[in-house]
Amino acid sequence: GFEEISVIGAASRDNEPRPQIVYSRTLLREAANGQMAKLSSADSIVSFASIAGQGVTAALCAPIMLGSAVDAFLYLDARGGTAVAADDAAGFCQVVARLCGLALANMKRREVEDRERQLASEVSAAREAQQLIVPAESGTICGLRYAMRMRPGRFVAGDLFDIIDLS
């Protein structure tokens, strides 16, 4: 469902108060399938009860895709008077929604890259700490000669080698 909707921006014509945020759940449900949803003045406003009393004469809802999943919506409507959507409005809305999806994907990619850099830094610090507590590759303790070779894996592991003087 659409119990929680976050509105990023709302605008109205010049010199008009900011519109009350009311949207069609029917259009959102249709767009949730990944396709543009439209309400034009020729449609029956009765089936769009959530916006029927708001003077909406036309509405478009385009899904903003992140990969193959709907991540957000671009929702536009015309209120008051006899305003109708231009013939190319749906196509334009779809292009803007696609650009939004590309921008979101780019932001997600950057988040993943930042997390990967942070993880690589932490792994490097752990590897350095591990090297500090491992004894030298060869030596003598209490008359006992030892030699070892440690080949760290790509990531830090829990295996350590140590020599302890038990007197």
Side-chain angles (χ1 to χ4, degrees):
F2 302 101
E3 290 76 31
E4 184 177 323
I5 300 286
S6 297
V7 177
I8 296 174
S12 63
R13 293 185 180 135
D14 295 337
N15 301 322
E16 290 184 16
R18 184 175 174 181
Q20 178 184 0
I21 307 301
V22 178
Y23 49 87
S24 167
R25 292 181 187 276
T26 303
L27 287 178
L28 289 173
R29 274 192 298 277
E30 288 178 20
N33 293 324
Q35 299 296 319
M36 167 71 76
K38 297 186 239 180
L39 163 66
S40 67
S41 57
D43 292 326
S44 170
I45 197 72
V46 175
S47 63
F48 296 89
S50 56
I51 59 174
Q54 302 299 313
V56 173
T57 57
L60 297 170
C61 186
I64 297 174
M65 307 297 290
L66 192 56
S68 61
V70 176
D71 191 64
F73 299 99
L74 177 60
Y75 184 92
L76 306 166
D77 65 33
R79 296 172 184 221
T82 58
V84 294
D87 291 340
D88 60 351
F92 179 77
C93 189
Q94 285 178 313
V95 169
V96 171
R98 176 74 176 132
L99 290 173
C100 289
L102 292 172
L104 280 173
N106 194 39
M107 290 168 45
K108 297 282 186 188
R109 180 189 52 79
R110 285 185 183 165
E111 287 175 11
V112 168
E113 288 173 352
D114 289 346
R115 280 195 302 265
E116 287 176 352
R117 271 193 293 279
Q118 179 67 27
L119 180 60
S121 174
E122 291 172 5
V123 167
S124 177
R127 182 178 288 121
E128 288 176 27
Q130 190 178 42
Q131 292 296 322
L132 289 173
I133 60 176
V134 171
E137 286 190 6
S138 62
T140 304
I141 291 186
C142 297
L144 179 65
R145 287 179 21 170
Y146 73 90
M148 68 97 178
R149 181 170 180 199
M150 185 171 148
R151 289 190 293 167
R154 184 173 175 182
F155 297 102
V156 176
D159 298 337
L160 291 176
F161 169 78
D162 202 357
I163 298 175
I164 300 170
D165 181 0
L166 299 177
S167 300

PDB file of all heavy atoms in Angstrom, residues 93-108:
ATOM      1  N   CYS A  93       6.982  13.397 -19.192  1.00  0.00           N
ATOM      2  CA  CYS A  93       6.980  12.907 -17.812  1.00  0.00           C
ATOM      3  C   CYS A  93       7.782  11.603 -17.705  1.00  0.00           C
ATOM      4  O   CYS A  93       8.551  11.414 -16.763  1.00  0.00           O
ATOM      5  CB  CYS A  93       5.539  12.717 -17.354  1.00  0.00           C
ATOM      6  SG  CYS A  93       5.346  12.354 -15.606  1.00  0.00           S
ATOM      7  N   GLN A  94       7.628  10.716 -18.675  1.00  0.00           N
ATOM      8  CA  GLN A  94       8.374   9.457 -18.672  1.00  0.00           C
ATOM      9  C   GLN A  94       9.870   9.702 -18.805  1.00  0.00           C
ATOM     10  O   GLN A  94      10.676   9.042 -18.142  1.00  0.00           O
ATOM     11  CB  GLN A  94       7.887   8.544 -19.795  1.00  0.00           C
ATOM     12  CG  GLN A  94       6.546   7.913 -19.491  1.00  0.00           C
ATOM     13  CD  GLN A  94       6.044   7.049 -20.632  1.00  0.00           C
ATOM     14  OE1 GLN A  94       6.079   7.457 -21.790  1.00  0.00           O
ATOM     15  NE2 GLN A  94       5.570   5.871 -20.296  1.00  0.00           N
ATOM     16  N   VAL A  95      10.254  10.658 -19.640  1.00  0.00           N
ATOM     17  CA  VAL A  95      11.677  10.981 -19.800  1.00  0.00           C
ATOM     18  C   VAL A  95      12.245  11.539 -18.501  1.00  0.00           C
ATOM     19  O   VAL A  95      13.329  11.149 -18.057  1.00  0.00           O
ATOM     20  CB  VAL A  95      11.893  11.969 -20.973  1.00  0.00           C
ATOM     21  CG1 VAL A  95      13.311  12.515 -20.981  1.00  0.00           C
ATOM     22  CG2 VAL A  95      11.578  11.292 -22.296  1.00  0.00           C
ATOM     23  N   VAL A  96      11.513  12.436 -17.865  1.00  0.00           N
ATOM     24  CA  VAL A  96      11.970  13.003 -16.594  1.00  0.00           C
ATOM     25  C   VAL A  96      12.072  11.902 -15.533  1.00  0.00           C
ATOM     26  O   VAL A  96      13.044  11.849 -14.769  1.00  0.00           O
ATOM     27  CB  VAL A  96      11.041  14.151 -16.134  1.00  0.00           C
ATOM     28  CG1 VAL A  96      11.382  14.604 -14.721  1.00  0.00           C
ATOM     29  CG2 VAL A  96      11.134  15.326 -17.098  1.00  0.00           C
ATOM     30  N   ALA A  97      11.102  11.003 -15.496  1.00  0.00           N
ATOM     31  CA  ALA A  97      11.144   9.891 -14.534  1.00  0.00           C
ATOM     32  C   ALA A  97      12.350   8.996 -14.805  1.00  0.00           C
ATOM     33  O   ALA A  97      13.016   8.536 -13.863  1.00  0.00           O
ATOM     34  CB  ALA A  97       9.848   9.083 -14.603  1.00  0.00           C
ATOM     35  N   ARG A  98      12.646   8.759 -16.065  1.00  0.00           N
ATOM     36  CA  ARG A  98      13.821   7.936 -16.420  1.00  0.00           C
ATOM     37  C   ARG A  98      15.110   8.615 -15.965  1.00  0.00           C
ATOM     38  O   ARG A  98      16.002   7.972 -15.422  1.00  0.00           O
ATOM     39  CB  ARG A  98      13.841   7.689 -17.937  1.00  0.00           C
ATOM     40  CG  ARG A  98      15.042   6.948 -18.431  1.00  0.00           C
ATOM     41  CD  ARG A  98      14.989   5.482 -18.066  1.00  0.00           C
ATOM     42  NE  ARG A  98      16.123   4.803 -18.657  1.00  0.00           N
ATOM     43  CZ  ARG A  98      16.909   3.972 -17.997  1.00  0.00           C
ATOM     44  NH1 ARG A  98      16.639   3.665 -16.758  1.00  0.00           N
ATOM     45  NH2 ARG A  98      17.943   3.424 -18.572  1.00  0.00           N
ATOM     46  N   LEU A  99      15.194   9.937 -16.174  1.00  0.00           N
ATOM     47  CA  LEU A  99      16.373  10.683 -15.714  1.00  0.00           C
ATOM     48  C   LEU A  99      16.498  10.628 -14.197  1.00  0.00           C
ATOM     49  O   LEU A  99      17.600  10.492 -13.660  1.00  0.00           O
ATOM     50  CB  LEU A  99      16.303  12.130 -16.198  1.00  0.00           C
ATOM     51  CG  LEU A  99      16.490  12.341 -17.697  1.00  0.00           C
ATOM     52  CD1 LEU A  99      16.229  13.790 -18.072  1.00  0.00           C
ATOM     53  CD2 LEU A  99      17.872  11.902 -18.138  1.00  0.00           C
ATOM     54  N   CYS A 100      15.375  10.715 -13.502  1.00  0.00           N
ATOM     55  CA  CYS A 100      15.385  10.584 -12.040  1.00  0.00           C
ATOM     56  C   CYS A 100      15.894   9.206 -11.632  1.00  0.00           C
ATOM     57  O   CYS A 100      16.682   9.074 -10.690  1.00  0.00           O
ATOM     58  CB  CYS A 100      13.989  10.820 -11.467  1.00  0.00           C
ATOM     59  SG  CYS A 100      13.418  12.518 -11.550  1.00  0.00           S
ATOM     60  N   GLY A 101      15.449   8.171 -12.336  1.00  0.00           N
ATOM     61  CA  GLY A 101      15.909   6.816 -12.045  1.00  0.00           C
ATOM     62  C   GLY A 101      17.410   6.667 -12.253  1.00  0.00           C
ATOM     63  O   GLY A 101      18.100   6.037 -11.447  1.00  0.00           O
ATOM     64  N   LEU A 102      17.921   7.266 -13.323  1.00  0.00           N
ATOM     65  CA  LEU A 102      19.367   7.218 -13.575  1.00  0.00           C
ATOM     66  C   LEU A 102      20.127   7.955 -12.479  1.00  0.00           C
ATOM     67  O   LEU A 102      21.181   7.491 -12.020  1.00  0.00           O
ATOM     68  CB  LEU A 102      19.684   7.805 -14.944  1.00  0.00           C
ATOM     69  CG  LEU A 102      19.190   6.994 -16.141  1.00  0.00           C
ATOM     70  CD1 LEU A 102      19.390   7.773 -17.434  1.00  0.00           C
ATOM     71  CD2 LEU A 102      19.883   5.644 -16.213  1.00  0.00           C
ATOM     72  N   ALA A 103      19.595   9.105 -12.047  1.00  0.00           N
ATOM     73  CA  ALA A 103      20.235   9.854 -10.969  1.00  0.00           C
ATOM     74  C   ALA A 103      20.225   9.052  -9.668  1.00  0.00           C
ATOM     75  O   ALA A 103      21.230   9.004  -8.953  1.00  0.00           O
ATOM     76  CB  ALA A 103      19.547  11.205 -10.779  1.00  0.00           C
ATOM     77  N   LEU A 104      19.100   8.413  -9.357  1.00  0.00           N
ATOM     78  CA  LEU A 104      19.026   7.573  -8.157  1.00  0.00           C
ATOM     79  C   LEU A 104      20.014   6.419  -8.228  1.00  0.00           C
ATOM     80  O   LEU A 104      20.681   6.096  -7.242  1.00  0.00           O
ATOM     81  CB  LEU A 104      17.610   7.026  -7.974  1.00  0.00           C
ATOM     82  CG  LEU A 104      16.586   7.962  -7.370  1.00  0.00           C
ATOM     83  CD1 LEU A 104      15.194   7.325  -7.419  1.00  0.00           C
ATOM     84  CD2 LEU A 104      16.947   8.314  -5.941  1.00  0.00           C
ATOM     85  N   ALA A 105      20.092   5.790  -9.385  1.00  0.00           N
ATOM     86  CA  ALA A 105      21.034   4.674  -9.555  1.00  0.00           C
ATOM     87  C   ALA A 105      22.465   5.152  -9.354  1.00  0.00           C
ATOM     88  O   ALA A 105      23.277   4.459  -8.728  1.00  0.00           O
ATOM     89  CB  ALA A 105      20.860   4.050 -10.940  1.00  0.00           C
ATOM     90  N   ASN A 106      22.770   6.328  -9.853  1.00  0.00           N
ATOM     91  CA  ASN A 106      24.114   6.881  -9.688  1.00  0.00           C
ATOM     92  C   ASN A 106      24.401   7.171  -8.216  1.00  0.00           C
ATOM     93  O   ASN A 106      25.495   6.892  -7.717  1.00  0.00           O
ATOM     94  CB  ASN A 106      24.260   8.155 -10.529  1.00  0.00           C
ATOM     95  CG  ASN A 106      25.701   8.581 -10.663  1.00  0.00           C
ATOM     96  OD1 ASN A 106      26.599   7.766 -10.816  1.00  0.00           O
ATOM     97  ND2 ASN A 106      25.920   9.880 -10.598  1.00  0.00           N
ATOM     98  N   MET A 107      23.415   7.700  -7.504  1.00  0.00           N
ATOM     99  CA  MET A 107      23.592   7.954  -6.076  1.00  0.00           C
ATOM    100  C   MET A 107      23.802   6.648  -5.309  1.00  0.00           C
ATOM    101  O   MET A 107      24.667   6.562  -4.435  1.00  0.00           O
ATOM    102  CB  MET A 107      22.379   8.708  -5.525  1.00  0.00           C
ATOM    103  CG  MET A 107      22.287  10.136  -6.013  1.00  0.00           C
ATOM    104  SD  MET A 107      20.721  10.983  -5.689  1.00  0.00           S
ATOM    105  CE  MET A 107      20.352  10.579  -4.020  1.00  0.00           C
ATOM    106  N   LYS A 108      23.031   5.618  -5.642  1.00  0.00           N
ATOM    107  CA  LYS A 108      23.190   4.306  -4.990  1.00  0.00           C
ATOM    108  C   LYS A 108      24.568   3.721  -5.285  1.00  0.00           C
ATOM    109  O   LYS A 108      25.213   3.152  -4.400  1.00  0.00           O
ATOM    110  CB  LYS A 108      22.105   3.332  -5.450  1.00  0.00           C
ATOM    111  CG  LYS A 108      20.714   3.741  -5.097  1.00  0.00           C
ATOM    112  CD  LYS A 108      20.395   3.458  -3.664  1.00  0.00           C
ATOM    113  CE  LYS A 108      18.923   3.772  -3.421  1.00  0.00           C
ATOM    114  NZ  LYS A 108      18.586   3.692  -2.029  1.00  0.00           N
TER     115      LYS A 108
END
